[in-house]
Amino acid sequence: MIRVPGLPGEERCLVMGVVNVTPDSFSDGGRWFDEGTAIRHGLELVEQGADIVDVGGESTRPGAARVSLDEELARVVPVIRGLAREGVAVSVDTMRAEVANAAVAAGARLVNDVSGGLADPDMPQVVAATGVPYVVMHWRGHSHDMDNRAVYADVVTEVREELAKRVDSVLAEGVSPEQIVLDPGLGFAKNAVHNWAVLAGIGQLSELGYPLLVGASRKRFLGRLLAGPDGSPRPFSRSDDATLAVTALAAHAGAWCVRVHEVGPNADAVRVAAAWKRAES
Ligand code: PMM
C-alpha cells in the first residue's frame, strides 16, 4: 500500500478532506475563499479525522472556466504553507506543473492532478522530480466541454484502458510506480450511469495494480439519484448521507482513499468498512 509520508500506517481506507479555495467550486465554492478561513477549515477537517487535506484553487465543476496561473498560485500556496506548518499532510489539487512545484516547496506531500498529466505536459516530470505520490485521474478534457465527451461503449473497460495509457506515459516521463494513485474521475466526462458502472467496477480498476482514490462527494449523480417526486435533484447540501454510503461501499471494495467534503461521518464509515473486511478475512 502506498504511504503518504507522515501518515499513520493504518490498514484502512484513508480520508481526504476537501478545501476548495475558489469562489465557484462544485458544492463549497466561496466558503473557504480567504486564506485564514481556508486554513482554519483544513485544521477542522484534520480534527474530524482527515488523513490528507486536498487544497485546490481552480474549480472543475462542469462548464467552469480556467483561472490564471498567478491567481491559482496566490490562492493555494499560502493555504498549503499554513497547513503544512501545522503538520497537516496536504495534497494540492492542480493540473499545472508550476503550481504542483510551488505547492510541494510550500510543504504539500501529494499532487492530485484531475487531468492525469494531460493538461500540462510538464506535470509528470515535475512530479517525478519531487518524488511525492501522484493522483492520476481519468480525464477527457477541460470542464467547459467535458459533458460532451461522456460517450462510451463500455465505460469500465475504456476508463481502465485510458488510465493504463496514462500510467505508461507518466512512467516513461520518470514517475516511479510507487508514486502512482489512480482515480476513475467520477463526474468527469461521465454521466450518472457511467459513474455507477465505474463504482461497481472498482475491482476491475484495482487490477491495474495501483491504489485507487474515489471522489463521489456531493457530485451531481448523487443529487439525481435522490431526486424528489417532481424530478428535481437533491441539493448538494443534502446529499452527504449518500456520499457516506458510497464511502462505505468503496472502502469495502478496496479503495485506498475517499475524497470528501464532510469528513467526520466519512471517517467513521471507513472504520466500519475496515472492521467488516477484517471480520471477513
Ligand atoms: N473531484 C473534484 C475535484 N478534484 N480530485 C480527484 N482526485 N478526484 C475527484 O473526483 C475530484 C478531484 C470536483 O469536486 P469539488 O469541486 O467538489 O472539489
Side-chain angles (χ1 to χ4, degrees):
M1 186 192 266
I2 194 165
R3 296 264 174 257
V4 176
L7 287 186
E10 282 191 60
E11 291 306 318
R12 61 164 172 80
C13 177
L14 299 179
V15 177
M16 174 186 275
V18 179
V19 177
N20 284 319
V21 195
T22 58
D24 60 342
S25 265
F26 214 60
S27 69
D28 57 351
R31 290 191 66 190
W32 329 115
F33 194 41
D34 86 84
E35 181 186 326
T37 316
I39 293 172
R40 270 194 303 282
H41 183 56
L43 294 173
E44 269 164 26
L45 295 182
V46 171
E47 244 167 59
Q48 290 162 12
D51 300 293
I52 306 167
V53 172
D54 191 38
V55 177
E58 179 169 42
S59 170
T60 49
R61 89 188 136 73
R66 300 215 61 189
V67 296
S68 71
L69 169 66
D70 287 346
E71 176 66 23
E72 193 183 348
L73 284 168
R75 288 179 184 182
V76 298
V77 171
V79 176
I80 291 169
R81 191 173 294 119
L83 287 170
R85 216 179 262 147
E86 299 291 329
V88 176
V90 182
S91 79
V92 60
D93 187 343
T94 186
M95 292 184 262
R96 287 189 169 112
E98 273 189 66
V99 176
N101 213 14
V104 173
R109 294 191 219 167
L110 189 145
V111 172
N112 173 23
D113 176 1
V114 298
S115 82
L118 284 170
D120 184 339
D122 295 334
M123 181 67 104
Q125 280 182 20
V126 162
V127 172
T130 65
V132 300
Y134 180 37
V135 180
V136 174
M137 201 189 80
H138 178 259
W139 186 84
R140 284 185 164 182
H142 285 287
S143 298
H144 65 91
D145 70 344
M146 68 178 171
D147 286 350
N148 299 331
R149 298 174 199 254
V151 182
Y152 303 85
D154 175 344
V155 66
V156 178
T157 303
E158 286 168 58
V159 167
R160 185 183 155 140
E161 284 172 4
E162 288 168 34
L163 280 174
K165 273 199 200 133
R166 294 311 310 141
V167 168
D168 289 346
S169 167
V170 304
L171 290 175
E173 298 274 2
V175 174
S176 82
E178 294 73 37
Q179 285 177 270
I180 296 175
V181 173
L182 298 179
D183 182 334
L186 297 173
F188 288 81
K190 286 168 207 78
N191 65 28
V193 172
H194 300 140
N195 290 335
W196 290 116
V198 159
L199 282 168
I202 281 183
Q204 282 158 269
L205 298 174
S206 298
E207 286 166 11
L208 289 170
Y210 295 94
L212 286 184
L213 189 148
V214 172
S217 185
R218 298 186 180 173
K219 293 220 165 131
R220 288 176 300 174
F221 75 114
L222 297 179
R224 295 231 170 98
L225 177 77
L226 305 172
D230 65 351
S232 54
R234 179 90 66 86
F236 301 126
S237 54
R238 292 198 295 117
S239 70
D240 283 328
D241 292 346
T243 299
L244 212 52
V246 174
T247 289
L249 290 164
H252 188 263
W256 167 75
C257 183
V258 287
R259 181 182 180 278
V260 297
H261 299 82
E262 198 62 53
V263 165
N266 283 283
D268 291 350
V270 298
R271 285 176 174 81
V272 169
W276 191 298
K277 261 183 110 77
R278 271 196 302 278
E280 281 172 342
S281 57

